[in-house]
Amino acid sequence: MSNFDSAISTPISSSASFSYSSSKEAEDIFSGNCSKPLYSRMGNPTTTVLESKMTELENGIGAVATSSGMGAITMSIMSLCSSGDEVLAIGGLFGGSYALLSQTLPRYDIQTKFFDASDLKNLEKNITDKTKVIFCESVGNPNLRLVDLEAIGKIATKYNIAFIVDNTITPKIIQPLKSGADIVVYSTTKIISGNSSALGGIAVFREIKDKDKFKTSRYSFLNPFISKLGAKALIGASKKRILRDFGMSANANASYHTLLGLETLDLRNERVNKSCEIIASNIQKAGLNVNHPSLSVNCDNTLYKTNYKNGCGTIITIDMGTKEKAFKFLDNTKLLTLTANIGDSRTLALHMASTIYSDFKSEEKDFLGITDGLIRLSIGLEDPNDISKDLITSFLSVESV
Ligand SMILES: *Cc1c(COP(=O)(O)O)cnc(C)c1O
């Protein structure tokens, strides 16, 4: 036993490769009969700790950490889709995910059809033999549309289609595997690590059961993994087909920072979700055009009260009407950090149309809810009354001109 074994804080295993004690052990590691580390692209001891904690958090059967959230999304979709296949996606969608589905995957002849969160009937009608994945976010970023995960899960079960949920905005608050999701993906860059210290992602998988959708002919390409790995077949397909070959592997340093964040996730979740409700209400009263599902005028307020009892994450959006007013508003605030991130301990803000969505067509922006004056806020750990005051003061200064 090495002295590292008694460390309280997870040791950072900053090694690209690992020695095997004998040729026989090497053979066993490569065949999967021995679970020691093979090479850091296929798994790293620090990252393995993160994977097992996230598996526990989701009640899954296993997890694969990746270099970024986009890495986790790409890995899980590519492990289930081949050329000619189709994805059905429900919006709002993060810009990177929308670009992956609408621009990049079509180059490999994987086509996506997009649906509004309240348009599940139409989604169901569009399921074909080629449909391999239904994809959605637990909370649309940045349109803040909420989804009825149970209802989508039921459709996915009825037609034997894989259901992938991006739960980046609501870790722990929403548990998609319990609502019929097969894979939950995260950008751990956001509230899980929580302070902009590490880029990372992870996919968490549910177990494959006796009579399972992944044993139907739709997913016959999974058969070799099912015979070899049984309940853990989806993990094998992700690791051996995508992680190994595309190489979006997590690094030990990022996994360490993500583990540190995970220790305080619960406390931070509680604080920011309460703050969002307080701030949305305060600034609405002051006359700002604010979007948050906790507000009674919001189209998803009923769903918020029934299915999102512990909140819907750190995002609030404000529509200032025009780009000019939005710029002035942002530049007049004192507490906000302007950046393209969410889920940080600090309050962050960004004008959407001129940054993340600047090269999107106008009909795409309409679908994603990106208006000219839209500002995305991600509420941090500061006093909610201080944040409200800063937002209101800046708003009044713009409106008084
Ligand atoms: C940021 C984000 C991603 C992408 O994550 P990266 O870690 O930046 O690659 C995916 N989905 C959502 C909802 C996000 O907010």
Side-chain angles (χ1 to χ4, degrees):
M1 181 174 141
S2 80
N3 290 331
F4 286 118
D5 292 347
S6 55
I8 299 283
S9 188
T10 311
I12 302 175
S13 182
S14 192
S15 184
S17 63
F18 304 89
S19 65
Y20 320 125
S21 64
S22 65
S23 304
K24 176 73 177 91
E25 187 180 83
E27 184 181 30
D28 288 344
I29 289 172
F30 273 75
S31 71
N33 289 331
C34 170
S35 65
K36 285 191 177 171
L38 186 154
Y39 178 73
S40 273
R41 176 156 36 77
M42 290 299 284
N44 168 284
T46 309
T47 301
T48 302
V49 177
L50 173 64
E51 289 167 340
S52 59
K53 294 208 166 160
M54 287 301 294
T55 300
E56 243 178 274
L57 186 117
E58 293 291 340
N59 253 311
I61 187 117
V64 179
T66 54
S67 55
S68 69
M70 285 316 301
I73 294 167
T74 304
M75 177 180 73
S76 53
I77 294 177
M78 295 292 274
S79 71
L80 293 171
C81 292
S82 306
S83 149
D85 288 342
E86 290 169 359
V87 176
L88 303 181
I90 296 158
L93 289 166
F94 168 72
S97 304
Y98 184 78
L100 172 75
L101 295 167
S102 67
Q103 300 288 329
T104 303
L105 291 183
R107 293 178 48 225
Y108 303 91
D109 196 23
I110 297 166
Q111 308 292 342
T112 297
K113 286 187 184 140
F114 296 93
F115 301 88
D116 185 90
S118 33
D119 201 11
L120 298 186
K121 280 218 171 76
N122 197 15
L123 175 126
E124 193 169 347
K125 273 192 217 141
N126 276 277
I127 291 173
T128 70
D129 288 346
K130 294 176 179 170
T131 311
K132 293 279 162 59
V133 169
I134 297 175
F135 180 84
C136 77
E137 294 177 2
S138 60
V139 178
N141 170 9
N143 78 354
L144 289 173
R145 284 306 307 272
L146 304 182
V147 284
D148 187 344
L149 287 178
E150 304 270 342
I152 305 167
K154 273 190 190 138
I155 296 173
T157 304
K158 181 173 165 193
Y159 293 92
N160 288 321
I161 315 243
F163 180 26
I164 303 176
V165 178
D166 179 344
N167 200 32
T168 297
I169 299 187
T170 45
K172 190 122 200 290
I173 294 178
I174 298 290
Q175 303 217 292
L177 293 189
K178 289 190 181 146
S179 305
D182 303 297
I183 306 175
V184 188
V185 293
Y186 287 100
S187 165
T188 56
T189 317
K190 312 295 168 55
I191 196 165
I192 291 183
S193 67
N195 53 22
S196 286
S197 63
L199 190 75
I202 197 161
V204 189
F205 303 84
R206 74 152 174 88
E207 79 179 296
I208 306 262
K209 307 211 171 79
D210 274 351
K211 283 194 176 160
D212 202 288
K213 64 172 83 161
F214 294 109
K215 293 181 176 171
T216 61
S217 58
R218 191 184 298 272
Y219 299 101
S220 55
F221 57 90
L222 288 175
N223 287 347
F225 294 103
I226 288 170
S227 358
K228 192 154 183 244
L229 300 168
K232 294 189 168 186
L234 289 177
I235 303 171
S238 278
K239 274 192 131 167
K240 288 224 160 162
R241 286 290 166 267
I242 311 297
L243 192 76
R244 186 190 66 188
D245 300 349
F246 286 63
M248 63 278 276
S249 319
N251 77 77
N253 213 51
S255 298
Y256 171 76
H257 281 271
T258 308
L259 279 163
L260 277 189
L262 206 49
E263 289 180 17
T264 57
L265 174 64
D266 227 19
L267 284 173
R268 289 181 291 110
N269 251 342
E270 224 180 288
R271 168 82 171 181
V272 292
N273 281 285
K274 277 203 190 111
S275 291
C276 279
E277 291 190 356
I278 296 169
I279 294 165
S281 158
N282 282 347
I283 65 177
Q284 187 189 45
K285 280 185 201 134
L288 277 91
N289 183 1
V290 51
N291 183 24
H292 191 263
S294 67
L295 300 170
S296 60
V297 293
N298 185 282
C299 66
D300 289 323
N301 185 241
T302 310
L303 202 53
Y304 182 79
K305 287 196 276 199
T306 53
N307 293 19
Y308 292 73
K309 290 202 170 89
N310 295 313
C312 65
T314 64
I315 301 178
I316 292 178
T317 62
I318 296 170
D319 195 339
M320 287 297 294
T322 64
K323 174 181 166 184
E324 288 68 32
K325 280 191 175 179
F327 274 30
K328 252 192 209 158
F329 171 84
L330 286 173
D331 294 341
N332 282 351
T333 58
K334 297 203 163 59
L335 271 182
L336 310 186
T337 302
L338 303 194
T339 183
N341 192 15
I342 56 169
D344 197 294
S345 50
R346 308 149 193 84
T347 294
L348 315 176
L350 195 66
H351 177 247
M352 294 282 97
S354 62
T355 58
I356 297 176
Y357 298 93
S358 59
D359 62 357
F360 280 52
K361 297 189 200 98
S362 69
E363 62 268 25
E364 291 175 324
K365 284 193 277 195
D366 284 349
F367 172 71
L368 298 169
I370 311 300
T371 50
D372 289 343
L374 191 76
I375 291 169
R376 181 182 69 192
L377 302 172
S378 172
I379 302 304
L381 301 176
E382 306 93 335
D383 185 327
N385 291 316
D386 288 346
I387 304 168
S388 304
K389 210 163 132 193
D390 190 34
L391 296 171
I392 293 167
T393 308
S394 175
F395 172 70
L396 294 177
S397 77
V398 173
E399 289 301 311
S400 68
V401 175

